Amino acid sequence: MIFNQALRRELSFTTGGVFLVLVTIMVTTLVIRILGYAANGAVNPKDALVLIALATLGYLAVLLTVSLFVATLIVLVRWYKDSEMIVWFASGLSVTNLIRPIMQFATPLIIVIALLALFVWPWANRESTLISQRFQQRDDVSMVSAGQFKESAKAERVFFIEELDVDKSEVKNIFVADSKNGRLSIAVSQTGFIQNSAGGEKSVVLHSGRRYEGQPTQPDFRILEFNEYSTKIRSKESLAPPPRDREKTITELLNDPNPVSISPNRAELLWRIGLPLMALGLVLIAIPLAYVNPRLGNYTAMFYAVLIYLIYSNLLNLTQNFVSQGKVSVFVAIWPIHLLALLIAIALIRNRMNPSLKWWRRQLPASMATK
């Protein structure tokens, strides 16, 4: 009981610490990336915090998987380095006795990883896409405000309205600059109004103004006077595009009408199911992988841990691509990688059982080791 409590306590603290570090790194990266999108006009700066939170929620499953794997390694490596494992091995325990308490600690987290991958991941991706699309497809009329120059969604038009009467839909002192196909067109007028058309279209109608086309230094530059000039500020309501594979719910993935042999939806489902299975496999591999000699450095285990994680995750992504392209059936691809990880964990544990016994005997005095 003392052994189990000590192990779970250290695993809890270490997992929490590693998770906070990874979340901090992830949030910092997302802040830089999303603020860059906002600066380029791809997303609304007001939505930056929401997009950062949604992206962080989407990656929580991966962060928890890495945190659990790294924390298990850190705790066990420290026990070997501080010779605490000598006490446990001398008490009659072996490497196999680590499996049960570690799995009791890891099982709830693996369930959380499964829930995050199956439900939170698609929801966060879908919400992020909707927010971005809503900003990209925003109405130019929403960008019009009195006394300010406002740029349209596609950066093709600039509005300036000195006075705006929303109740009467009247505008005064209007400036509209359009840039299409490298040609500049500027229209100015003292009065106008907002016109609502059938189908949800909106336009600004200018009265008795002037229109300037082209560059003043070019021979095709023109100055036109008009009695009425209309510029569209909102098109018909556009339908939202269908969700991508990463944004679909479990029900949508399972109800895929495409054949099983070629199905991106099945490939996405394979990745979501594979993430908690990968967390389980990594935890089992971490138990024998943490075995180190106290006289040697403790960085070897971490090097192998990074290598194993990269290979495992890349194989999972590669399998997902094969299923998406129809090269491998989803029923064939769902088990080999995780079965291989389980076999590797079993082989390493069996290999560590005898060396662990010989190792702690070498640490004891000769009079005790011969007993």
Side-chain angles (χ1 to χ4, degrees):
M1 185 174 295
I2 297 176
F3 171 76
N4 293 343
Q5 291 178 353
L7 183 58
R8 292 175 189 173
R9 182 174 61 252
E10 291 208 28
L11 284 174
S12 300
F13 292 145
T14 308
T15 303
V18 173
F19 180 72
L20 288 178
V21 171
L22 293 178
V23 169
T24 303
I25 296 173
M26 175 62 66
V27 170
T28 304
T29 305
L30 290 174
V31 167
I32 296 174
R33 186 175 68 182
I34 293 178
L35 288 183
Y37 291 157
N40 294 330
V43 298
N44 191 349
K46 296 180 180 179
D47 296 330
L49 292 178
V50 178
L51 292 174
I52 292 171
L54 289 173
T56 304
L57 284 175
Y59 286 106
L60 280 183
V62 178
L63 296 181
L64 273 177
T65 300
V66 178
S67 300
L68 188 58
F69 180 42
V70 173
T72 304
L73 273 174
I74 290 177
V75 171
L76 295 183
V77 166
R78 191 194 67 77
W79 279 21
Y80 279 110
K81 291 294 294 182
D82 294 346
S83 300
E84 291 187 28
M85 294 304 296
I86 298 177
V87 179
W88 302 119
F89 289 150
S91 301
L93 301 177
S94 65
V95 176
T96 55
N97 295 108
L98 295 170
I99 299 176
R100 183 174 181 180
I102 290 178
M103 290 309 303
Q104 288 177 346
F105 170 79
T107 299
L109 291 180
I110 293 175
I111 294 175
V112 172
I113 291 172
L115 295 176
L116 290 172
L118 293 175
F119 302 104
V120 178
W121 162 260
W123 175 81
N125 290 330
R126 185 59 178 168
E127 291 297 318
S128 298
T129 301
L130 290 176
I131 292 174
S132 300
Q133 289 177 350
R134 186 166 58 245
F135 180 72
Q136 292 294 334
Q137 299 174 0
R138 68 192 186 275
D139 303 331
D140 291 345
V141 69
S142 65
M143 301 296 294
V144 176
S145 59
Q148 295 182 6
F149 285 92
K150 291 293 185 177
E151 192 177 43
S152 65
K154 297 182 180 180
E156 295 178 346
R157 184 178 301 163
V158 175
F159 284 101
F160 177 82
I161 295 177
E162 186 174 1
E163 296 182 18
L164 173 63
D165 190 338
V166 179
D167 296 331
K168 298 180 180 180
S169 297
E170 294 181 354
V171 292
K172 293 182 179 180
N173 295 334
I174 312 105
F175 170 92
V176 182
D178 284 300
S179 177
K180 292 184 179 179
N181 300 323
R183 187 173 180 83
L184 180 64
S185 174
I186 298 176
V188 293
S189 175
Q190 292 184 351
T191 60
F193 64 94
I194 298 176
Q195 182 181 55
N196 296 318
S197 304
E201 293 185 351
K202 284 185 179 243
S203 302
V204 171
V205 180
L206 285 67
H207 288 156
S208 303
R210 285 188 178 184
R211 184 178 177 187
Y212 305 89
E213 291 186 356
Q215 299 293 335
T217 58
Q218 300 297 323
D220 59 348
F221 177 74
R222 298 188 303 171
I223 300 177
L224 307 175
E225 293 186 357
F226 57 82
N227 292 327
E228 186 175 281
Y229 175 74
S230 177
T231 177
K232 188 182 297 184
I233 58 175
R234 182 169 72 180
S235 302
K236 294 182 180 180
E237 296 293 339
S238 58
L239 298 177
R244 297 175 296 175
D245 301 329
R246 61 189 298 177
E247 301 167 1
K248 293 182 179 179
T249 62
I250 297 297
T251 304
E252 292 173 335
L253 294 177
L254 293 175
N255 295 334
D256 183 16
N258 296 324
V260 179
S261 58
I262 305 177
S263 176
N265 290 343
R266 298 293 197 283
E268 175 66 20
L269 187 61
L270 174 69
W271 182 86
R272 295 186 194 179
I273 296 175
L275 199 59
L277 294 177
M278 183 175 72
L280 175 61
L282 290 175
V283 170
L284 293 175
I285 292 176
I287 295 175
L289 187 65
Y291 177 85
V292 295
N293 191 323
R295 298 190 179 93
L296 301 178
N298 58 348
Y299 298 103
T300 305
M302 290 300 171
F303 172 78
Y304 286 127
V306 173
L307 186 62
I308 289 173
Y309 174 77
L310 292 177
I311 294 175
Y312 205 150
S313 59
N314 287 330
L315 285 177
L316 186 60
N317 293 331
L318 186 63
T319 304
Q320 180 186 7
N321 292 333
F322 284 163
V323 173
S324 178
Q325 298 171 7
K327 296 180 180 180
V328 182
S329 173
V330 63
F331 302 108
V332 176
I334 197 170
W335 56 268
I337 299 177
H338 309 294
L339 179 60
L340 178 62
L342 180 61
L343 294 177
I344 291 175
I346 294 175
L348 290 177
I349 290 174
R350 289 180 62 86
N351 181 60
R352 296 303 185 191
M353 288 176 65
N354 291 333
S356 63
L357 183 60
K358 296 177 182 178
W359 171 75
W360 74 261
R361 282 182 177 274
R362 288 197 301 267
Q363 308 306 312
L364 296 176
S367 58
M368 296 179 61
T370 54
K371 294 182 180 180

